[in-house]
Amino acid sequence: DVGQGDSILLHSGKYDVLIDTGGSSYNEGNIAKNTTVPLLKSLGIKDIDYLFLSHGDMDHLGESYYLVKNFKVSNVYFNEGEFNNNEIRLINLLDKLSIKYFVSCEGEYYEFGDFKLFSLGTDLVDENDSSMIIYGLIKDYSFLFMGDASIKSEEVLIQKYNILDIDIFKVGHHGSRTSSGDEFIGMIRPKYSLISVGKDNKFGHPNKEVLEVLKESIIYRTDLDGSIMFEIKKNKLNIETRFP
């Protein structure tokens, strides 16, 4: 739970992967310092092998500045497209710290422990539209992380891919009405929908219409449920929610 932002930890075997860090220009350093790093240490995690940043908005990469300076991060991946000022600032810091960074291009495949991840591209210009979208498999479960991808991005995915019956779906753009269109949700038919969203946020996320579109799935929200953990043991899925 990083408030009005995204941050997702994938842990399998000896690998730890973080997708986004949360953060904004108003609380930079607080979430990573007070929540993320203590949580990682409490889980016995000493470093992040791969940090994927879905796009350059502060609520997705803002805590990266603190994280890379105060916790071991080995590799950083950015989405495709032109770097914005937030990303350039981070790249300058990565250069100073000699941390490797890359662009995750459409079609790239990553394997970490039991996770198999695929980077899906949309080749759009807008920062949200060009969010890195990650499709993945672990054991017999599928998941889809949308960053802030919009309905425009979803239309591209519908044309390019045949994504069906997603088990775990990270809802695009914090449940904004600009994402999670009827056609796309009807295609992927998520079993569980996760909305990372700040309590009483000024944007009105999640949108009531989006919640209606997602009503056939089981919805979890960080503003109501706190942090959400999916654990797969012996191919059985267990779900736990907790506040810090």
Side-chain angles (χ1 to χ4, degrees):
D1 176 14
V2 292
Q4 186 65 18
D6 274 10
S7 190
I8 302 161
L9 173 70
L10 307 180
H11 171 81
S12 179
K14 65 178 182 178
Y15 293 100
D16 292 288
V17 179
L18 196 64
I19 303 174
D20 289 332
T21 65
S24 75
S25 56
Y26 302 105
N27 60 14
E28 184 180 320
N30 293 339
I31 294 170
K33 180 179 180 180
N34 298 328
T35 301
T36 310
V37 170
L39 173 63
L40 295 174
K41 290 182 177 178
S42 74
L43 295 172
I45 296 172
K46 297 180 180 179
D47 61 88
I48 294 295
D49 299 291
Y50 299 90
L51 171 61
F52 289 91
L53 300 171
S54 64
H55 63 297
D57 285 353
M58 287 295 288
D59 60 330
H60 290 257
L61 67 64
E63 294 300 296
S64 302
Y65 307 119
Y66 180 91
L67 192 68
V68 299
K69 288 190 289 186
N70 295 276
F71 200 79
K72 184 180 178 183
V73 177
S74 300
N75 304 278
V76 178
Y77 284 84
F78 295 92
N79 63 316
E80 292 186 85
E82 186 176 348
F83 293 131
N84 67 12
N85 290 336
N86 300 328
E87 292 166 313
I88 291 170
R89 178 186 167 199
L90 178 58
I91 287 170
N92 290 336
L93 179 57
L94 296 176
D95 284 333
K96 290 179 182 178
L97 298 172
S98 298
I99 296 174
K100 294 180 290 185
Y101 58 90
F102 312 88
V103 172
S104 181
C105 297
E106 178 182 1
E108 288 194 359
Y109 168 75
Y110 311 91
E111 191 166 341
F112 313 111
D114 288 326
F115 282 106
K116 296 177 176 64
L117 308 183
F118 303 84
S119 182
L120 308 183
T122 55
D123 194 26
L124 297 171
V125 176
D126 179 80
E127 191 65 47
N128 287 342
D129 293 341
S130 63
S131 285
M132 185 191 308
I133 299 169
I134 296 177
Y135 171 82
L137 298 168
I138 179 168
K139 304 292 185 180
D140 292 329
Y141 295 91
S142 61
F143 54 90
L144 187 63
F145 299 130
M146 296 295 292
D148 275 356
S150 69
I151 289 175
K152 288 183 180 179
S153 312
E154 295 168 4
E155 290 171 350
V156 174
L157 294 184
I158 291 170
Q159 294 170 6
K160 285 188 174 183
Y161 306 102
N162 187 32
I163 306 171
L164 304 174
D165 300 322
I166 293 295
D167 292 301
I168 302 166
F169 175 55
K170 204 295 296 183
V171 176
H173 204 183
H174 321 288
S176 165
R177 64 180 180 179
T178 61
S179 302
S180 305
D182 287 309
E183 185 179 2
F184 183 65
I185 300 303
M187 181 179 80
I188 67 171
R189 294 185 297 234
K191 185 173 183 179
Y192 299 98
S193 294
L194 315 181
I195 304 176
S196 187
V197 63
K199 188 175 182 180
D200 300 324
N201 66 86
K202 65 180 181 180
F203 307 103
H205 297 161
N207 180 267
K208 291 181 180 179
E209 294 176 11
V210 170
L211 295 177
E212 180 66 21
V213 171
L214 295 169
K215 68 180 181 180
E216 298 299 322
S217 67
I218 299 170
I219 299 173
Y220 287 93
R221 298 166 46 169
T222 56
D223 61 334
L224 301 180
D225 301 304
S227 294
I228 304 148
M229 182 175 71
F230 288 79
E231 182 181 39
I232 299 171
K233 270 191 175 181
K234 296 181 181 178
N235 217 32
K236 182 180 179 182
L237 180 65
N238 299 305
I239 306 168
E240 180 180 331
T241 62
R242 65 173 70 175
F243 284 94

